[in-house]
Amino acid sequence: MHELALTHEIVAIVCQAAGDRRVHRVTLEVGERSCATPESIAFCFDVIARGTCAEGARLDICRTDGDDLMVTTMEIEEAA
Amino acid sequence: MMCGHCGCGGPDHEHEHEDGTRHSHSHSHAHGHTHTPTTLVELQTRVLAKNDAIAARNRAWFAGREMLAINLVSSPGAGKTTLLERTIRDLHGQYDIGVLEGDQATSLDRDRVAATGAPVIQVNTGTGCHLEADQVARGLNELRPAPRSILLIENVGNLVCPAMFDLGERAKVVILSVTEGDDKPLKYPHMFRAAPLMLINKIDLLPHVDFDVARVTASARDVNPAIAAIGLSARTGEGMQQWYDWLRREWTVATEAAFA
């Protein structure tokens, strides 16, 4: 259930870095010991991203064996 | 390492492993979406970075006031509030104790704690299943605890999420009651790994339940070899002195650490 709060934070991190540009893809690393469930984050992401710069963005989640939960990269539209 | 969740199962999916834990993806798209020119941006930002920064600020705030802050976590019904009530009453006159109560709804626990005479603030988390550092920061702003006091934070009853969120406390204390399963540390390892102390509450009920104190202690040490365990009953008072002794040691360290 805390994935909801985590996903809000993920979208906030992405949108802050993206400024006004549209986000096409977000890559996350979810550690085995991070206490977060990738499926739940993926479930929350589409809903929370709606109406933000990350609406419709694709979320790629990679499991790692650490305990971190990180937004590693994003793809944004090129500046006009 | 497999990337089982990226949804890109096509043959063109490539992995580049650089250091074993971090790896980048290059997807050669067989997908049918239109290609807008995009730029790849490296973020490498921890999702909990903001919470942890606020927690660090809380921790510095506590240190500056030579305070001891403890984050009490348990399942619902393990007896956190009863433990708080008894602790405050028994230690009355020895320490100033303030309480920050976290619950999804109601101020029932605040009212119980307030009846002890201790200053208490209720933080309702709404849909949130845990307290976050900024809720504690706002709570502190309202509670204004005294220097050299003890702040007991009663987290939302939940053994999962509160393990992830640092509030700035000196230590998490996990409370387990003997009416729960003695395999809980194995089922919720994150929480037991995060806490240096486990309180086994309601030991007055041991004759009536199938709960093995030795087994729960062994289970907890399987996930956290350094965890200390104290059996007690917040109802009868048995074992409470050991908890107070632990608090006193932590308080002494916390108040002296300010000058270290």
Side-chain angles (χ1 to χ4, degrees):
Chain A
M1 198 163 144
H2 55 298
E3 281 80 2
L4 193 64
L6 298 174
T7 310
H8 269 292
E9 206 51 47
I10 291 163
V11 171
I13 288 167
V14 163
C15 288
Q16 192 183 13
D20 292 338
R21 287 149 80 181
R22 189 140 200 91
V23 179
H24 290 263
R25 182 198 297 270
V26 176
T27 311
L28 270 190
E29 271 183 13
V30 180
E32 287 289 345
R33 292 191 305 277
S34 72
C35 211
T37 312
E39 291 80 1
S40 304
I41 294 176
F43 178 81
C44 296
F45 183 77
D46 288 346
V47 180
I48 290 168
R50 207 169 289 159
T52 73
C53 67
E55 179 165 343
R58 175 168 156 162
L59 182 68
D60 287 350
I61 300 180
C62 296
R63 298 303 310 244
T64 66
D65 44 16
D67 51 15
D68 250 353
L69 179 61
M70 283 184 80
V71 188
T72 49
T73 63
M74 66 176 177
E75 277 176 38
I76 57 173
E77 65 181 352
E78 284 180 3
Chain B
M1 197 170 344
M2 272 293 294
C3 192
H5 297 279
C6 77
C8 189
D12 300 327
H13 188 195
E14 298 166 4
H15 278 90
E16 295 165 22
H17 290 257
E18 286 169 7
D19 60 13
T21 55
R22 183 165 298 155
H23 58 282
S24 56
H25 274 168
S26 54
H27 288 85
S28 310
H29 286 227
H31 315 294
H33 51 83
T34 46
H35 279 247
T36 319
T38 58
T39 310
L40 185 70
V41 180
E42 286 285 333
L43 291 168
Q44 304 295 344
T45 306
R46 295 182 56 243
V47 173
L48 289 173
K50 189 172 131 204
N51 182 78
D52 291 352
I54 299 169
R57 203 179 64 198
N58 290 346
R59 189 164 280 118
W61 197 92
F62 294 134
R65 283 160 187 76
E66 302 172 50
M67 281 180 60
L68 172 65
I70 299 294
N71 182 358
L72 297 165
V73 291
S74 79
S75 305
K80 286 192 296 301
T81 312
T82 306
L83 180 87
L84 278 177
E85 290 172 304
R86 176 135 203 160
T87 301
I88 294 162
R89 290 201 166 101
D90 286 354
L91 298 182
H92 179 75
Q94 297 181 53
Y95 305 95
D96 285 329
I97 299 182
V99 176
L100 214 149
E101 277 287 343
D103 265 315
Q104 286 201 327
T106 82
S107 55
L108 295 171
D109 284 356
R110 181 194 62 196
D111 299 344
R112 284 175 57 186
V113 172
T116 66
V120 55
I121 292 289
Q122 178 86 39
V123 176
N124 282 339
T125 58
T127 57
C129 42
H130 56 269
L131 282 173
E132 295 185 12
D134 80 316
Q135 292 167 322
V136 170
R138 280 183 276 131
L140 288 172
N141 211 22
E142 204 180 326
L143 189 65
R144 299 270 163 184
R148 297 177 73 81
S149 63
I150 297 176
L151 178 72
L152 298 175
I153 302 168
E154 183 177 341
N155 216 314
V156 179
N158 176 350
L159 280 179
V160 185
C161 322
M164 274 189 94
F165 291 84
D166 183 10
L167 304 178
E169 72 274 1
R170 177 171 173 79
K172 289 185 175 71
V173 171
V174 60
I175 301 153
L176 186 70
S177 66
V178 303
T179 53
E180 301 169 55
D182 51 21
D183 52 0
K184 249 183 185 161
L186 299 176
K187 290 178 172 170
Y188 301 94
H190 296 283
M191 187 56 88
F192 288 83
R193 210 172 275 138
L197 174 65
M198 165 173 70
L199 299 179
I200 304 165
N201 192 18
K202 309 189 190 179
I203 55 167
D204 51 312
L205 299 178
L206 274 175
H208 311 289
V209 293
D210 289 324
F211 183 96
D212 186 334
V213 173
R215 191 159 65 202
V216 79
T217 308
S219 306
R221 288 188 178 143
D222 270 351
V223 298
N224 178 2
I227 198 167
I230 297 172
L232 51 78
S233 166
R235 196 174 71 86
T236 67
E238 187 183 353
M240 292 294 282
Q241 190 55 49
Q242 284 185 72
W243 154 235
Y244 301 149
D245 292 344
W246 184 90
L247 266 181
R248 172 174 294 280
R249 281 194 299 274
E250 293 297 316
W251 181 80
T252 305
V253 175
T255 51
E256 287 173 358
F259 297 100

